[in-house]
Amino acid sequence: MMKNKISIFLITLLALSFGQYDYNLEDLNSSSPDYQENVGTSYFSGKVTLHYFGHYN
Amino acid sequence: MPIQLLGVGKDSHMSALGNWVNNNDAPVCADSFPYATWSDWDASQRDLFILDHEGNLVYHENISSGIPSNIESLVLGLVDQIPDCDSSLMCGEAITCCDGLLYPTTCCAENCDTAIGECNAECEDGEFDNSDPCNPMECYNGEWVQIVIDCAEQMGVPCEGGLYMPPPEGVCCSTCVQFGDSNGDGGLNVLDVVSIVSFVLNGTYDSISDINQDGTVNILDVVSLVSLILG
C-alpha cells in the first residue's frame, strides 16, 4: 500500500517536472516490452522520445 | 539507443490496432474520449512530436506528406546532448579525488556533479609506501596518510617462554619466538632437536636454542627440548 503511494508520488513528481508534454496511457501493443504498462514521456525519462499521433480507420 | 518511439491513437479507432503496430515493438496507447492528451498536446492526425531527454519539445510537425529528411540528424543531435551521468545516483558525501579532480561525493562525476577543485595529487588513491615498515603510508584522497603500527615488544607485552627476535626486512614488529624453536617455524618438534644438536656439534651459540639460559648451547638444552616436545 505504502509502496503504491510512493510510486504514485514519484510518477506525479516526474509528470510535473516534464510539464505539458506528457501523458500516462496504457501500452496496448502486445509486441512491446512495456505492454500493459502506463507509458508516456516521463516513463522514458532520460531518452529522446518521438510521439506520433494518429489513428487508423 | 536512448530513443523511444510511441504512438498515441484514439480509443474509438483501436479496432485497427493490428494495422498500427504491424509487429513492431513500439508502445501504442489509446486516448479516451474527450481525448485530453490530444488536446493538451494540440495534436492533429499524423502529427509528430520530438522531445529531448529532459522532456522539452523540440519538434512538432504534421507528417502527412512524409517524414522530413532532417529528422535523423535532429534526433542524433538530441542523443548527443544526453549526459553520460545519472543525477539520480545515491552517493556517499565525502570529498573524493577522481582523475585528478575533487568531487563532493564518492560517485565523482557519475552523478553529474561538477568538480570542486583539483586534487593535491601527491599520490594515487590506493598506492602504498612500505619503505619504512614502522611508518607505512597509504594514499587517500591524493594525500599520503601514515598508518600507526603498534608492536607488542614496544608496548611492553612480555614474550613468555621465549625471546623477541628482530623482524625480517620489510616488517616492523619483532616476533616472540619460543625457547627451543631453533628453526623459527612456530612449533617445537624433531627438526628443532636436529638444529640444536648441530649447534652443539659446531659450538655455535644461539639464544633461542639456549633453553636453560646458561650462556651455552649444550646437551642439557637438547634434553630440555626433548622434554618440552614429549610434554
PDB file of all heavy atoms in Angstrom, chain B residues 86-93 105-108 110-111:
ATOM      1  N   ASP B  86      24.281   9.968 -14.277  1.00  0.00           N
ATOM      2  CA  ASP B  86      22.932   9.726 -13.768  1.00  0.00           C
ATOM      3  C   ASP B  86      22.749  10.540 -12.494  1.00  0.00           C
ATOM      4  O   ASP B  86      23.275  10.185 -11.438  1.00  0.00           O
ATOM      5  CB  ASP B  86      22.753   8.227 -13.496  1.00  0.00           C
ATOM      6  CG  ASP B  86      21.370   7.904 -12.954  1.00  0.00           C
ATOM      7  OD1 ASP B  86      20.555   8.839 -12.808  1.00  0.00           O
ATOM      8  OD2 ASP B  86      21.113   6.726 -12.673  1.00  0.00           O
ATOM      9  N   SER B  87      21.996  11.622 -12.601  1.00  0.00           N
ATOM     10  CA  SER B  87      21.844  12.527 -11.449  1.00  0.00           C
ATOM     11  C   SER B  87      21.034  11.908 -10.312  1.00  0.00           C
ATOM     12  O   SER B  87      21.002  12.447  -9.213  1.00  0.00           O
ATOM     13  CB  SER B  87      21.188  13.843 -11.903  1.00  0.00           C
ATOM     14  OG  SER B  87      19.944  13.564 -12.496  1.00  0.00           O
ATOM     15  N   SER B  88      20.375  10.772 -10.571  1.00  0.00           N
ATOM     16  CA  SER B  88      19.561  10.154  -9.510  1.00  0.00           C
ATOM     17  C   SER B  88      20.374   9.160  -8.665  1.00  0.00           C
ATOM     18  O   SER B  88      19.847   8.527  -7.764  1.00  0.00           O
ATOM     19  CB  SER B  88      18.349   9.445 -10.129  1.00  0.00           C
ATOM     20  OG  SER B  88      18.782   8.373 -10.934  1.00  0.00           O
ATOM     21  N   LEU B  89      21.677   9.009  -8.976  1.00  0.00           N
ATOM     22  CA  LEU B  89      22.509   8.067  -8.216  1.00  0.00           C
ATOM     23  C   LEU B  89      22.589   8.466  -6.747  1.00  0.00           C
ATOM     24  O   LEU B  89      22.695   9.642  -6.427  1.00  0.00           O
ATOM     25  CB  LEU B  89      23.936   8.046  -8.782  1.00  0.00           C
ATOM     26  CG  LEU B  89      24.263   7.095  -9.923  1.00  0.00           C
ATOM     27  CD1 LEU B  89      25.741   7.199 -10.260  1.00  0.00           C
ATOM     28  CD2 LEU B  89      23.921   5.667  -9.550  1.00  0.00           C
ATOM     29  N   MET B  90      22.515   7.456  -5.861  1.00  0.00           N
ATOM     30  CA  MET B  90      22.693   7.713  -4.431  1.00  0.00           C
ATOM     31  C   MET B  90      24.193   7.596  -4.127  1.00  0.00           C
ATOM     32  O   MET B  90      24.789   6.548  -4.379  1.00  0.00           O
ATOM     33  CB  MET B  90      21.924   6.685  -3.613  1.00  0.00           C
ATOM     34  CG  MET B  90      20.430   6.671  -3.898  1.00  0.00           C
ATOM     35  SD  MET B  90      19.613   8.128  -3.262  1.00  0.00           S
ATOM     36  CE  MET B  90      19.494   7.690  -1.548  1.00  0.00           C
ATOM     37  N   CYS B  91      24.800   8.654  -3.584  1.00  0.00           N
ATOM     38  CA  CYS B  91      26.249   8.651  -3.366  1.00  0.00           C
ATOM     39  C   CYS B  91      26.576   9.112  -1.950  1.00  0.00           C
ATOM     40  O   CYS B  91      25.868   9.943  -1.384  1.00  0.00           O
ATOM     41  CB  CYS B  91      26.929   9.597  -4.356  1.00  0.00           C
ATOM     42  SG  CYS B  91      26.429   9.332  -6.069  1.00  0.00           S
ATOM     43  N   GLY B  92      27.654   8.576  -1.415  1.00  0.00           N
ATOM     44  CA  GLY B  92      28.103   8.981  -0.087  1.00  0.00           C
ATOM     45  C   GLY B  92      28.769  10.347  -0.143  1.00  0.00           C
ATOM     46  O   GLY B  92      29.487  10.655  -1.089  1.00  0.00           O
ATOM     47  N   GLU B  93      28.496  11.176   0.850  1.00  0.00           N
ATOM     48  CA  GLU B  93      29.091  12.508   0.875  1.00  0.00           C
ATOM     49  C   GLU B  93      30.497  12.436   1.445  1.00  0.00           C
ATOM     50  O   GLU B  93      30.682  12.199   2.633  1.00  0.00           O
ATOM     51  CB  GLU B  93      28.227  13.469   1.698  1.00  0.00           C
ATOM     52  CG  GLU B  93      26.955  13.881   0.981  1.00  0.00           C
ATOM     53  CD  GLU B  93      26.226  15.000   1.698  1.00  0.00           C
ATOM     54  OE1 GLU B  93      26.872  15.729   2.449  1.00  0.00           O
ATOM     55  OE2 GLU B  93      25.012  15.100   1.517  1.00  0.00           O
ATOM     56  N   THR B 105      31.155  13.983  -3.724  1.00  0.00           N
ATOM     57  CA  THR B 105      30.652  12.681  -3.290  1.00  0.00           C
ATOM     58  C   THR B 105      31.542  11.562  -3.831  1.00  0.00           C
ATOM     59  O   THR B 105      32.383  11.784  -4.703  1.00  0.00           O
ATOM     60  CB  THR B 105      29.211  12.415  -3.781  1.00  0.00           C
ATOM     61  OG1 THR B 105      29.248  12.116  -5.171  1.00  0.00           O
ATOM     62  CG2 THR B 105      28.292  13.602  -3.515  1.00  0.00           C
ATOM     63  N   THR B 106      31.309  10.366  -3.320  1.00  0.00           N
ATOM     64  CA  THR B 106      32.110   9.207  -3.738  1.00  0.00           C
ATOM     65  C   THR B 106      31.812   8.779  -5.176  1.00  0.00           C
ATOM     66  O   THR B 106      32.518   7.944  -5.732  1.00  0.00           O
ATOM     67  CB  THR B 106      31.847   8.019  -2.798  1.00  0.00           C
ATOM     68  OG1 THR B 106      30.435   7.786  -2.748  1.00  0.00           O
ATOM     69  CG2 THR B 106      32.359   8.291  -1.402  1.00  0.00           C
ATOM     70  N   CYS B 107      30.729   9.306  -5.769  1.00  0.00           N
ATOM     71  CA  CYS B 107      30.396   8.945  -7.155  1.00  0.00           C
ATOM     72  C   CYS B 107      31.229   9.723  -8.169  1.00  0.00           C
ATOM     73  O   CYS B 107      31.151   9.447  -9.367  1.00  0.00           O
ATOM     74  CB  CYS B 107      28.921   9.205  -7.442  1.00  0.00           C
ATOM     75  SG  CYS B 107      27.806   8.099  -6.579  1.00  0.00           S
ATOM     76  N   CYS B 108      31.970  10.713  -7.701  1.00  0.00           N
ATOM     77  CA  CYS B 108      32.731  11.596  -8.590  1.00  0.00           C
ATOM     78  C   CYS B 108      31.800  12.228  -9.624  1.00  0.00           C
ATOM     79  O   CYS B 108      30.824  12.844  -9.232  1.00  0.00           O
ATOM     80  CB  CYS B 108      33.885  10.829  -9.233  1.00  0.00           C
ATOM     81  SG  CYS B 108      35.112  10.369  -8.000  1.00  0.00           S
ATOM     82  N   GLU B 110      29.950  10.591 -11.855  1.00  0.00           N
ATOM     83  CA  GLU B 110      28.906   9.678 -12.327  1.00  0.00           C
ATOM     84  C   GLU B 110      27.494  10.140 -11.966  1.00  0.00           C
ATOM     85  O   GLU B 110      26.524   9.690 -12.557  1.00  0.00           O
ATOM     86  CB  GLU B 110      29.142   8.274 -11.767  1.00  0.00           C
ATOM     87  CG  GLU B 110      30.350   7.601 -12.399  1.00  0.00           C
ATOM     88  CD  GLU B 110      30.606   6.224 -11.835  1.00  0.00           C
ATOM     89  OE1 GLU B 110      29.713   5.686 -11.175  1.00  0.00           O
ATOM     90  OE2 GLU B 110      31.712   5.702 -12.053  1.00  0.00           O
ATOM     91  N   ASN B 111      27.372  11.010 -10.963  1.00  0.00           N
ATOM     92  CA  ASN B 111      26.041  11.533 -10.615  1.00  0.00           C
ATOM     93  C   ASN B 111      25.863  12.963 -11.133  1.00  0.00           C
ATOM     94  O   ASN B 111      25.028  13.704 -10.643  1.00  0.00           O
ATOM     95  CB  ASN B 111      25.836  11.490  -9.099  1.00  0.00           C
ATOM     96  CG  ASN B 111      26.791  12.403  -8.362  1.00  0.00           C
ATOM     97  OD1 ASN B 111      27.805  12.795  -8.913  1.00  0.00           O
ATOM     98  ND2 ASN B 111      26.481  12.737  -7.130  1.00  0.00           N
TER      99      ASN B 111
END
